[in-house]
Amino acid sequence: MSRNAIRNWYLIHKWSSLIPTAFLLMLCVTGLPLIFHDEIDAVMGEDAETALSGTASAEGGLSLDVMLDRALAERPGQVPLFMAFSQDSSLLTVTTGPTPDAAGEDMTLLFLDRTTGASMGPAPGNASMDFLLQLHTDMFLGLPGMLTLGAMGILLVVALISGVVLYAPFMRKLPFGTVRKRRSKRLRRLDQHNFLGIVALGWMLVIALTGAINAFADPLTENWRDGQIARMTDAYAGTPALAPADYGSIDEAMSAAQQALPGRSPQFIGFPGGAWSSGHHYAIFFQGDRPVTQHLLTPALVDAATSELTDARTMPVINQALMMSKPLHFGDYGGLPLKLIWAALTLATIWVLWTGIILFLRRKPGEVERRIEEIRTGAAARASS
């Protein structure tokens, strides 16, 4: 590359790294314990599934209508919003709220055992994990915070790509991973920064991209609801939303949906009027039966009054990417061994970010020009001799 090209890439890497660094450090520090949220909940006695046995609630148990009646009996005056199933235990959760379009802070999550019908009460809270999740998700700023963090994720992608562009000519005369141990502490730190950045490159790209996709979850969900869901329910356009008192049998709706999508397992039901459904339908979401496809959802819309299937379609690719990105972002699809790898790579990323800050703060006059020349000529080979 020419000197000007290297300079431009150097400046791109410099500022795309520096601008999001504080945000990225916060995301790494908060994300580290969130990787192990299941294990932490189990240790603190807040994992309801560990106490349950019997048939998975997604496969069978007591009638769904019976389970819903028992949940609503505990929350008089409220309406159902979601019903979610477990693939591993008899745990069944029912979310209620004062209105079908209730905000998240007004919702109540109830735990029930579908095998016995017993209520396990409201979901236990973990204030520390909830705090970390909220800080990690939107910094307590709602959608503006989510979009800001999404933009920081995109900048990280730019920083990683530009770093590779600069690292390749810099290392072309050296064996991969060379660290100049006999040179100054600053040069050793620079080499370690570059080496760990390259080693964790693929993982950081995945985390940055999935994090950016997650940051746009609300707009993507609204676009899906206003687009595909609206087209699937054209026949209901202009008609008043169904009142909760007129909801029909969930069991009959589930049966109609399973006939249209045989061999799939229900993950959750969105009740009429919520963000994941329409004003007239049970939106029953089914997942695949393999580790890779279990996060790919297919919604079946069933008329909540008549229990007749209206339509079933695969979600748009961008929404499927959203559903896949969440478990991939936290390493939730490969058990504890994958989580440990995720944690190690998170620590490596923290080191890369921290050393980047140190290198910037302790830079010397004329260093930019020296770095540009070193990259252009591959002078690292001579410097290590």
Side-chain angles (χ1 to χ4, degrees), residues 29 45 88 162 260 312 347 365 375:
V29 171
D88 304 311
S162 58
L347 291 172
I375 293 169

Side-chain angles (χ1 to χ4, degrees), residues 81-101:
L81 305 177
F82 297 99
M83 177 180 286
F85 305 89
S86 171
Q87 313 300 318
D88 304 311
S89 76
S90 57
L91 178 68
L92 182 142
T93 64
V94 176
T95 304
T96 64
T99 60
D101 59 350

Side-chain angles (χ1 to χ4, degrees), residues 35-50:
I35 294 173
F36 301 101
H37 66 93
D38 291 331
E39 290 75 13
I40 293 173
D41 286 344
V43 170
M44 299 179 68
E46 296 174 353
D47 184 357
E49 291 194 82
T50 58

Side-chain angles (χ1 to χ4, degrees), residues 79-80 100 240-248 272 279-280 282 304-305:
V79 298
L242 196 65
D246 297 326
Y247 294 172
H280 307 272
Y282 294 129

Side-chain angles (χ1 to χ4, degrees), residues 287-317:
Q287 65 181 53
D289 58 358
R290 294 185 177 89
V292 175
T293 61
Q294 68 179 356
H295 300 291
L296 298 177
L297 302 183
T298 301
L301 293 186
V302 181
D303 190 306
T306 66
S307 298
E308 295 179 356
L309 180 71
T310 297
D311 201 351
R313 299 184 189 179
T314 302
M315 296 175 75
V317 173

Side-chain angles (χ1 to χ4, degrees), residues 34-276:
L34 290 173
I35 294 173
F36 301 101
H37 66 93
D38 291 331
E39 290 75 13
I40 293 173
D41 286 344
V43 170
M44 299 179 68
E46 296 174 353
D47 184 357
E49 291 194 82
T50 58
L52 297 176
S53 58
T55 303
S57 62
E59 298 177 4
L62 296 180
S63 161
L64 297 179
D65 293 322
V66 169
M67 299 304 297
L68 181 61
D69 288 341
R70 295 191 179 186
L72 293 178
E74 293 198 24
R75 305 297 297 176
Q78 297 208 344
V79 298
L81 305 177
F82 297 99
M83 177 180 286
F85 305 89
S86 171
Q87 313 300 318
D88 304 311
S89 76
S90 57
L91 178 68
L92 182 142
T93 64
V94 176
T95 304
T96 64
T99 60
D101 59 350
E105 59 269 20
D106 297 324
M107 297 180 183
T108 298
L109 181 64
L110 301 172
F111 285 179
L112 301 104
D113 184 345
R114 193 179 177 186
T115 297
T116 64
S119 170
M120 303 170 67
N126 187 329
S128 58
M129 295 302 290
D130 291 343
F131 174 85
L132 289 176
L133 181 60
Q134 193 72 30
L135 180 60
H136 188 89
T137 302
D138 62 14
M139 302 181 296
F140 299 95
L141 298 175
L143 183 58
M146 294 176 68
L147 296 179
T148 298
L149 294 178
M152 297 303 104
I154 293 172
L155 280 176
L156 175 58
V157 172
V158 174
L160 293 171
I161 293 173
S162 58
V164 172
V165 171
L166 295 171
Y167 191 67
F170 178 76
M171 294 295 294
R172 67 181 180 269
K173 297 180 181 179
L174 287 175
F176 176 76
T178 296
V179 176
R180 294 168 289 181
K181 297 180 180 180
R182 296 183 180 181
R183 301 302 298 272
S184 67
K185 182 179 180 181
R186 175 178 176 78
L187 283 177
R188 291 199 304 272
R189 182 178 285 124
L190 173 63
D191 289 344
Q192 292 168 352
H193 173 87
N194 292 336
F195 174 64
L196 282 178
I198 289 296
V199 168
L201 173 67
W203 180 83
M204 287 193 285
L205 279 172
V206 168
I207 296 303
L209 289 172
T210 54
I213 292 173
N214 288 337
F216 295 95
D218 289 350
L220 289 174
T221 300
E222 291 176 5
N223 183 66
W224 169 75
R225 179 188 62 199
D226 298 337
Q228 187 182 70
I229 289 293
R231 290 191 297 273
M232 292 170 68
T233 59
D234 282 342
Y236 297 81
T239 60
L242 196 65
D246 297 326
Y247 294 172
S249 168
I250 309 175
D251 290 291
E252 293 180 10
M254 179 65 75
S255 178
Q258 289 178 323
Q259 289 179 20
L261 299 170
R264 305 197 188 196
S265 180
Q267 188 180 93
F268 74 95
I269 300 173
F271 284 78
W276 289 87

